[in-house]
Amino acid sequence: MSKQELVVIAGGDGPAGCCAALSTAPVDEARAAELAKIFKALGDPVRLRLLSMIASRSGGEVCVCDLTPAFDLSQPTISHHLKLLRPAGLIDCERRGTWVSYRALPGALDRLSAFLATPVAAGASASSAPGNAPAGTAAHGATSC
């Protein structure tokens, strides 16, 4: 496993304070390196599930003691995965006695969402978006594989 330091996405002047969306402008080398570190943190199914569990929790916080039973992993392994999400700027935590409570950082999630967003043409509906073509047909005139 890599020991690279993960860098938090800094705010900018594009959509949601990040940068131009992936589909609107090419990403420069420096920005690609920054974003790759964030996506690397999300590249493990356990970390992706952890982030989802934290972000979807009512009240916005969850104790590590409530996360551990959802996995067939030890508590130290869960803590290791959470430790990798923190420097990526996706979550933050607060120690409360013996346990640690985690919360998702909405600004980071909003910036990633804006970066991945695809523009919707005026008058287009969700049913005409790629991936929503009727069964047996190809979207946008492309041939199916």
Side-chain angles (χ1 to χ4, degrees), residues 87-114:
L90 297 168
I91 62 171
D92 200 4
C93 68
E94 180 181 332
R95 179 167 292 281
R96 295 186 183 141
T98 305
W99 300 105
V100 178
S101 292
Y102 289 89
R103 66 185 172 279
L105 297 176
L109 300 178
D110 291 343
R111 288 188 296 272
L112 286 174
S113 178

Side-chain angles (χ1 to χ4, degrees), residues 10-24:
D13 55 357
C18 172
C19 48
L22 179 67
S23 63
T24 61

Side-chain angles (χ1 to χ4, degrees), residues 2-144:
S2 174
K3 301 269 187 204
Q4 289 180 332
E5 183 178 327
L6 298 174
V7 179
V8 176
I9 295 179
D13 55 357
C18 172
C19 48
L22 179 67
S23 63
T24 61
V27 179
D28 65 41
E29 187 175 337
R31 193 72 181 144
E34 288 177 32
L35 287 166
K37 291 176 184 177
I38 304 303
F39 288 117
K40 182 176 181 178
L42 293 173
D44 183 279
V46 171
R47 290 192 290 274
L48 190 57
R49 285 186 59 210
L50 283 167
L51 180 62
S52 175
M53 290 172 71
I54 295 167
S56 65
R57 183 69 171 232
S58 65
E61 290 190 353
V62 61
C63 177
V64 69
C65 61
D66 295 327
L67 295 170
T68 304
F71 298 90
D72 190 24
L73 299 169
S74 67
Q75 191 276 323
T77 301
I78 297 298
S79 291
H80 166 75
H81 284 292
L82 291 165
K83 183 180 175 184
L84 295 175
L85 291 171
R86 282 189 65 214
L90 297 168
I91 62 171
D92 200 4
C93 68
E94 180 181 332
R95 179 167 292 281
R96 295 186 183 141
T98 305
W99 300 105
V100 178
S101 292
Y102 289 89
R103 66 185 172 279
L105 297 176
L109 300 178
D110 291 343
R111 288 188 296 272
L112 286 174
S113 178
F115 174 73
L116 293 172
T118 56
V120 177
S125 67
S127 63
S128 64
N132 292 332
T137 65
H140 299 287
T143 58
S144 59

